[in-house]
Amino acid sequence: AASPGARDSGGRGRLVQAARGATMSDPKALVKAFMQGVSAGVVDDALLTDNMTFWSVNSGESDKARFTGGIALLAKAGNHAIRYEIVSLTCEENRAVAEVESSGTLINGESVANSHVFLFELQTGRIAKVKEYMNQFVVKDKIAPVMQSLLGG
């Protein structure tokens, strides 16, 4: 599971420090640092290739800028309290798969929880591609409306 100290009052600095040590020589540490960053709403750029892509069943393919903006907005929608905990993690060669559980409370007071599978492709010691599968109805019915309201829509 992601370390409970991944985010505290000085959490961003701790996340950056953890991210700097995570490389493909330790793909599990790389994936764990990525998931801690998703929980915090910011994934250290050092973890990602310049042309990193993210795909999910909800949003399709995103470039790195859209992905990082999306997780920042998600963190805001969850008042920086949605946590992504790794249940299982398997790494082989340049690929990793993580089973992840998320939970938290949205800024509208509604509780949210979901189950996810993240597939990772690693290149040059960093994350090049991520694919996320989850219960899309949780996102559509609970999370997306809050994110839309933050965007003024």
mmCIF file of all heavy atoms in Angstrom, residues 11 23 42 59 72 90 122 147 152:
data_model
loop_
_atom_site.group_PDB
_atom_site.id
_atom_site.type_symbol
_atom_site.label_atom_id
_atom_site.label_comp_id
_atom_site.label_asym_id
_atom_site.label_seq_id
_atom_site.Cartn_x
_atom_site.Cartn_y
_atom_site.Cartn_z
ATOM 1 N N GLY A 11 4.212 17.546 2.678
ATOM 2 C CA GLY A 11 4.129 16.362 1.837
ATOM 3 C C GLY A 11 4.685 16.517 0.451
ATOM 4 O O GLY A 11 5.284 15.591 -0.083
ATOM 5 N N THR A 23 13.326 4.856 -9.985
ATOM 6 C CA THR A 23 13.737 4.680 -11.374
ATOM 7 C C THR A 23 13.344 3.294 -11.844
ATOM 8 O O THR A 23 12.879 2.468 -11.068
ATOM 9 C CB THR A 23 15.256 4.842 -11.537
ATOM 10 O OG1 THR A 23 15.879 3.751 -10.862
ATOM 11 C CG2 THR A 23 15.755 6.171 -11.009
ATOM 12 N N VAL A 42 -0.374 15.864 -7.623
ATOM 13 C CA VAL A 42 0.776 16.293 -8.410
ATOM 14 C C VAL A 42 1.760 15.130 -8.505
ATOM 15 O O VAL A 42 2.199 14.592 -7.502
ATOM 16 C CB VAL A 42 1.459 17.547 -7.814
ATOM 17 C CG1 VAL A 42 1.930 17.340 -6.393
ATOM 18 C CG2 VAL A 42 2.614 18.002 -8.683
ATOM 19 N N SER A 59 -11.871 9.121 -20.110
ATOM 20 C CA SER A 59 -11.402 10.299 -20.848
ATOM 21 C C SER A 59 -10.659 9.981 -22.134
ATOM 22 O O SER A 59 -10.285 10.899 -22.850
ATOM 23 C CB SER A 59 -10.500 11.138 -19.941
ATOM 24 O OG SER A 59 -9.374 10.390 -19.535
ATOM 25 N N ALA A 72 -4.688 17.317 -10.854
ATOM 26 C CA ALA A 72 -4.750 18.501 -9.987
ATOM 27 C C ALA A 72 -6.206 18.890 -9.730
ATOM 28 O O ALA A 72 -6.588 19.218 -8.598
ATOM 29 C CB ALA A 72 -3.981 19.657 -10.609
ATOM 30 N N THR A 90 2.548 -5.841 -9.620
ATOM 31 C CA THR A 90 3.384 -6.824 -10.310
ATOM 32 C C THR A 90 4.186 -6.102 -11.381
ATOM 33 O O THR A 90 3.631 -5.312 -12.144
ATOM 34 C CB THR A 90 2.513 -7.919 -10.965
ATOM 35 O OG1 THR A 90 1.704 -8.530 -9.950
ATOM 36 C CG2 THR A 90 3.372 -8.974 -11.630
ATOM 37 N N LEU A 122 7.119 1.360 -18.966
ATOM 38 C CA LEU A 122 8.264 2.126 -18.486
ATOM 39 C C LEU A 122 9.318 2.228 -19.579
ATOM 40 O O LEU A 122 9.560 1.265 -20.310
ATOM 41 C CB LEU A 122 8.854 1.447 -17.251
ATOM 42 C CG LEU A 122 7.846 1.057 -16.163
ATOM 43 C CD1 LEU A 122 8.531 0.284 -15.056
ATOM 44 C CD2 LEU A 122 7.113 2.270 -15.636
ATOM 45 N N MET A 147 -16.080 18.062 -10.623
ATOM 46 C CA MET A 147 -14.993 18.630 -11.415
ATOM 47 C C MET A 147 -15.545 19.661 -12.407
ATOM 48 O O MET A 147 -14.950 20.720 -12.583
ATOM 49 C CB MET A 147 -14.222 17.524 -12.133
ATOM 50 C CG MET A 147 -13.416 16.643 -11.159
ATOM 51 S SD MET A 147 -12.608 15.217 -11.943
ATOM 52 C CE MET A 147 -11.240 16.027 -12.777
ATOM 53 N N GLY A 152 -16.481 25.707 -13.834
ATOM 54 C CA GLY A 152 -17.495 26.704 -14.164
ATOM 55 C C GLY A 152 -18.555 26.200 -15.111
ATOM 56 O O GLY A 152 -19.289 26.990 -15.715
#
